[in-house]
Amino acid sequence: MQKEAVDPLVIQHEFAKRYFEEFLSRGEHIRELLFSPPTTPLLIMDLEGVKARYLELKYHMPQFKVYYAVKANDHPEVLKTLSDLGSGFEVASSQELQRVLSLGVAPERVISSNPIKPPDFIDFAYRSGVNRFAVDSFTEVDKIARIAPRSRVYVRIVVPNEGSDWPLSKKFGVDVDTGVSILEYAQEKGLVPYGITFHVGSQCNNFRNWLIGIKRASELWQKAKAKGLRLQMLNIGGGIPVKYTYEALRVEDIAYYVRGLLQKFMPNLPHELQIEPGRGIVGDQGIMVCKVIGKAVRDKESWLYIDTGVFNGLAEALGGIRYAFYVEKDGAVKEWTVGGVSCDSMDVVARNVALPEPEVGDYLYIMPAGAYTTVYASNFNGFPTPEVVCV
């Protein structure tokens, strides 16, 4: 008996439909916004979902202090929700720090893990009481020693980012031996060698990256100890993935794996363990509502145009992130290329998108859109960034 061929477009559409129905099930207040948005493009953020995700992370990783990466979504209501839960914050700029401090967050709950920081930010952070900074170069040590004496510094080591949708290993990080040398140099300059950090890459679905990161951190820790350096902290960065067009690793499974790695490579745990989730907390708590503004067929390719784009909120599409798309329509599914609102030919949001035939004026739903959307958005070509409603 011959098996029926599986249509990948149908599978893709069914996945997006289930994702959309998950959002619908969150409550009538979200349903009303999805079907009668006050404007488009509109980003709807579910604050109860943000809370639940944070508490899930704390439940499965109770030994870790959570420092939410503000760069993922810096909306004041998102930050306040996390602040009220006791979250710490990771910031990279004076503006991010000011947003956090304005909520009454104590500077002891703030760190800065960007290895290359503007001098004016270091000065503002230090004067505000923030004194924990990541480094991965001797030049950065000199800068911090001059501007923020006696600060605590933690060195960033490089680890593989294979299996991460948004790799970060090329721009930052050093090898183990260089890391030891940087910490020694920091001590000579009057800074406090505080710890080690690494990043497995944003949206990581590869357990091996955490394996290499913790193994290398353990090696550096022992070499630093042999040099007389008494480190206190291990920071395992971000990387916790969310569901886009495929299922993602669960927080529970990552936590179980990380616990096992720590027991194997660092049985005498550091005094402090840190984690910096950004996307992992807010990513799948947001959905973007936009409108179809045009359709065309070009060289036998069906195009759909929407009232947002890569310059106005969906910049991660340029780097490989693939969103799920859904329209509330019946009918046969066909393949579309989704173009953005601007007149720039680079403004292509996605190709090979499975949708039934939409019409101009229909709402198109993009999921998940809670992370790295509004923070990346600009008013290029005069088009607005998405409005945000937190519910």
Side-chain angles (χ1 to χ4, degrees):
M1 180 175 163
Q2 189 175 10
K3 292 184 179 179
E4 287 188 27
V6 177
D7 187 342
L9 288 178
V10 172
I11 293 175
Q12 181 194 144
H13 179 255
E14 287 300 316
F15 185 94
K17 182 179 180 180
R18 288 195 302 271
Y19 211 159
F20 179 74
E21 288 172 348
E22 287 176 17
F23 275 97
L24 281 182
S25 69
R26 298 187 184 201
E28 189 61 34
H29 57 302
I30 291 180
R31 174 183 289 270
E32 290 177 4
L33 284 169
L34 288 173
F35 292 128
S36 300
T39 185
T40 60
L42 178 73
L43 174 62
I44 303 170
M45 289 298 302
D46 179 9
L47 296 181
E48 289 301 316
V50 171
K51 289 180 187 178
R53 187 69 165 173
Y54 174 85
L55 293 174
E56 178 188 14
L57 187 66
K58 288 293 293 181
Y59 177 80
H60 290 297
M61 306 184 78
Q63 293 171 302
F64 283 80
K65 291 184 178 180
V66 176
Y67 291 86
Y68 169 69
V70 175
K71 62 181 176 290
N73 186 318
D74 63 0
H75 193 278
E77 291 188 50
V78 170
L79 299 182
K80 185 178 186 308
T81 297
L82 292 169
S83 174
D84 290 346
L85 291 170
S87 177
F89 296 89
E90 189 281 317
V91 302
S93 67
S94 297
Q95 185 179 55
E96 286 185 347
L97 177 55
Q98 185 58 55
R99 282 179 181 248
V100 169
L101 295 177
S102 69
L103 297 172
V105 173
E108 292 78 19
R109 289 165 59 188
V110 182
I111 61 174
S112 179
S113 291
N114 183 1
I116 310 296
K117 295 165 285 296
D120 60 340
F121 163 64
I122 298 173
D123 179 60
F124 176 64
Y126 187 64
R127 286 188 290 104
S128 299
V130 176
N131 65 358
R132 289 178 290 173
F133 304 104
V135 295
D136 69 352
S137 69
F138 298 96
T139 302
E140 193 72 6
V141 170
D142 287 335
K143 193 165 55 180
I144 294 172
R146 185 179 70 253
I147 302 170
R150 296 301 300 162
S151 288
R152 291 171 284 175
V153 294
Y154 47 109
V155 69
R156 177 159 170 172
I157 54 175
V158 66
V159 301
N161 279 190
E162 286 83 5
S164 299
D165 285 358
W166 200 271
L168 302 167
S169 60
K170 299 290 186 181
K171 186 177 180 182
F172 300 118
V174 295
D175 60 69
V176 168
D177 289 334
T178 303
V180 174
S181 297
I182 288 174
L183 290 173
E184 281 190 291
Y185 185 68
Q187 187 174 60
E188 293 170 7
K189 287 291 185 176
L191 299 175
V192 178
Y194 175 50
I196 304 166
T197 188
F198 62 84
H199 203 301
V200 295
S202 190
Q203 187 65 12
C204 181
N205 276 290
N206 184 0
F207 283 121
R208 183 175 179 273
N209 294 352
W210 280 284
L211 165 64
I212 300 300
I214 291 175
K215 187 176 180 180
R216 288 182 183 173
S218 173
E219 183 183 349
L220 195 159
W221 195 280
Q222 295 306 317
K223 288 188 174 186
K225 184 177 180 180
K227 295 279 189 178
L229 302 175
R230 296 293 182 262
L231 304 181
Q232 304 172 51
M233 182 275 293
L234 173 65
N235 178 316
I236 66 170
I240 292 176
V242 299
K243 181 172 64 175
Y244 279 87
T245 55
Y246 49 85
E247 296 296 337
L249 292 178
R250 300 185 306 166
V251 169
E252 179 180 359
D253 295 332
I254 294 170
Y256 180 82
Y257 189 66
V258 166
R259 282 199 304 272
L261 293 174
L262 290 173
Q263 288 171 4
K264 179 176 181 178
F265 295 108
M266 304 184 81
N268 297 318
L269 287 179
H271 174 70
E272 183 177 347
L273 294 171
Q274 299 177 354
I275 189 169
E276 299 176 13
R279 187 193 308 275
I281 287 181
V282 297
D284 50 8
Q285 308 311 322
I287 182 170
M288 187 85 75
V289 186
C290 57
K291 268 188 179 180
V292 175
I293 61 170
K295 292 163 57 178
V297 176
R298 308 191 190 286
D299 195 21
K300 299 181 180 179
E301 185 178 9
S302 297
W303 281 74
L304 201 64
Y305 298 89
I306 58 176
D307 61 0
T308 187
V310 300
F311 303 111
N312 310 84
L314 301 171
E316 284 203 305
L318 295 173
I321 293 294
R322 185 172 174 83
Y323 299 97
F325 298 84
Y326 183 72
V327 291
E328 187 76 346
K329 285 266 190 173
D330 295 322
V333 174
K334 60 185 284 189
E335 191 173 298
W336 298 86
T337 295
V338 179
V341 67
S342 78
C343 62
D344 195 304
S345 60
M346 188 184 292
D347 192 2
V348 178
V349 179
R351 299 182 185 276
N352 310 119
V353 175
L355 293 170
E357 184 89 27
E359 300 299 332
V360 172
D362 286 346
Y363 294 122
L364 179 72
Y365 303 99
I366 303 175
M367 308 158 285
Y372 300 105
T373 46
T374 52
V375 288
Y376 272 155
S378 73
N379 292 104
F380 174 67
N381 231 176
F383 294 106
T385 60
E387 294 289 330
V388 181
V389 175
C390 294
V391 294

